[in-house]
């Protein structure tokens, strides 16, 4: 049932252009043929979206989930990393540009070995700033895998992408066509939650950068009573996201931001909370392992234009160039 649900989401018009050369364990040839057709124009260009921080990130009670209790819930946004792969016969090495994208180089070289295909040249271009908590590294890696698969006209299994990513660093679940609860350390799916409702996020950057591996090493364990809170928040997200309950999504994000403040404080969180309250926004969202804070708005609400202008005015003292991010929202 999960494979069927994922295939259906991947065939959605919003996600299909990005997902064609990726598939899921358990999908057979008949399902793939049913859920998607070969693009008319073949290209080794591939994209992967980022995520605005996390709707929710924490640890679950040990009894509630097998394996690693660390998890996050993605907030997919329409901001992308792009990869273009050009094969060179007779080599398994990959040259990457820009050259500092060493994580993508490592994944590309491991993937060409796994697929028994040629190495080559990998070009990366991203709209996602690095070290801010928008999943720039994860998006680079997924776009790289999709580009190589597209170049050789094969479908790469999501589980293979995750295996190769897990060897590099903790990662976000941006390889899935929708919002997911995800084990970032093991790079494995906890549950597929569905399509995020159409939200706008007014984001500000507190400055600096955060390295994913460094953050993962220094964060501590969460007390048992808070783990119960995270479990309850995840259960609420399982209901709110499929129902498109924007108010509940806002409450979940705000609660997670406040819980996380005890471990990795955001300097302007209290001020942004007051701005969200003053503008009657849905709530706030943070990059738990990054530098971004955002205010959530329902972008299909009748009063969205007025609220957007009000939010922009309220956050301008903290960032004179706030950015507006839109959620990736598939058909319901």
């Amino acid at each position: 049932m999960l494979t069927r649900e994922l295939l259906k989401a991947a065939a959605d018009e919003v996600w299909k252009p990005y997902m064609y050369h990726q598939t899921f364990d358990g999908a057979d040839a008949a399902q793939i043929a049913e859920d998607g057709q070969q693009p008319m124009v073949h290209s080794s260009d591939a994209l992967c979206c980022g995520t605005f921080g996390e709707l929710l990130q924490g640890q679950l009670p040990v009894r509630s989930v097998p394996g690693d209790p660390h998890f996050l819930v993605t907030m997919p946004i329409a901001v992308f990393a792009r990869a273009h792969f050009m094969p060179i016969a007779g080599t398994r090495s990959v040259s990457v540009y820009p050259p500092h994208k060493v994580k993508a180089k490592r994944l590309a070289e491991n993937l060409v070995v796994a697929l028994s295909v040629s190495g080559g040249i990998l070009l990366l271009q991203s709209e996602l700033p690095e070290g801010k908590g928008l999943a720039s590294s994860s998006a680079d890696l997924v776009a790289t895998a999709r580009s190589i698969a597209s170049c050789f006209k094969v479908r790469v299994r999501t589980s293979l992408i995750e295996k190769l990513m897990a060897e590099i660093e903790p990662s976000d679940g941006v390889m899935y066509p929708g919002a997911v609860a995800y084990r970032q350390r093991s790079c494995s799916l906890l549950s597929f939650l569905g399509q995020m409702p159409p939200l706008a996020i007014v984001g500000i950057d507190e400055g600096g950068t955060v390295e994913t591996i460094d953050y993962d090493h220094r964060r501590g364990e969460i007390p048992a009573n808070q783990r119960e809170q995270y479990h309850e928040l995840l259960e609420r997200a399982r209901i709110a996201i499929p129902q498109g309950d924007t108010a509940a999504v806002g409450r979940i994000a705000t609660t997670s931001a406040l819980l996380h403040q005890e471990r990795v404080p955001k300097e302007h969180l209290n001020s942004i909370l007051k701005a969200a309250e003053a503008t009657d926004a849905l709530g706030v969202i943070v990059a738990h392992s990054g530098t971004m804070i955002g205010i959530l708005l329902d972008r299909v609400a009748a009063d969205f234009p007025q609220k957007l202008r009000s939010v922009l005015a309220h956050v301008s003292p903290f960032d004179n160039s706030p950015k507006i991010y839109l959620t990736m929202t598939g058909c319901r």
Side-chain angles (χ1 to χ4, degrees), residues 44-45 82-99 101 104-105 108-109 112 117-124 143-144 147-148 151-152:
S44 60
D45 278 350
R82 178 188 298 272
H84 179 84
F85 185 74
M86 297 173 286
I88 299 175
T91 182
R92 288 290 175 87
S93 66
V94 174
S95 298
V96 62
Y97 300 93
K101 299 279 191 177
K105 173 181 170 68
E109 291 185 335
V112 300
V117 296
S118 300
I121 297 173
L122 174 67
L123 306 179
L124 291 169
T144 292
S147 178
I148 292 171
C151 180
F152 294 102

Side-chain angles (χ1 to χ4, degrees), residues 1-20 22-24 31 34-36 76 146 155 175-180 189 192-196 328-332:
M1 289 297 293
L2 176 59
T3 301
R4 168 57 63 180
E5 187 178 359
L6 290 170
L7 283 168
K8 182 178 179 182
D12 182 277
E13 290 304 313
V14 169
W15 293 99
K16 186 176 177 180
Y18 316 113
M19 297 292 302
Y20 183 80
Q22 184 185 328
T23 192
F24 305 99
Q31 286 176 313
E34 176 185 337
D35 290 320
R146 289 174 177 172
R155 288 180 184 264
M175 67 289 294
Y176 287 96
V180 295
L189 182 68
F192 180 69
L193 302 178
Q195 301 305 318
M196 196 61 69
M328 293 280 287
T329 305
C331 298
R332 296 186 170 276

Side-chain angles (χ1 to χ4, degrees), residues 39 41 73 105 131 137 178 204 214 227 266 294:
V41 178
V73 173
K105 173 181 170 68
S137 293
I204 71 163
D214 292 342
R227 292 187 184 212
K266 293 285 191 290

Side-chain angles (χ1 to χ4, degrees), residues 34 37 71 94 113 123 176 179 193 202 234 257 271 275 285 322 324:
E34 176 185 337
Q37 300 298 318
F71 81 104
V94 174
V113 170
L123 306 179
Y176 287 96
L193 302 178
V202 179
L234 178 57
S271 297
I285 184 169
I324 302 169

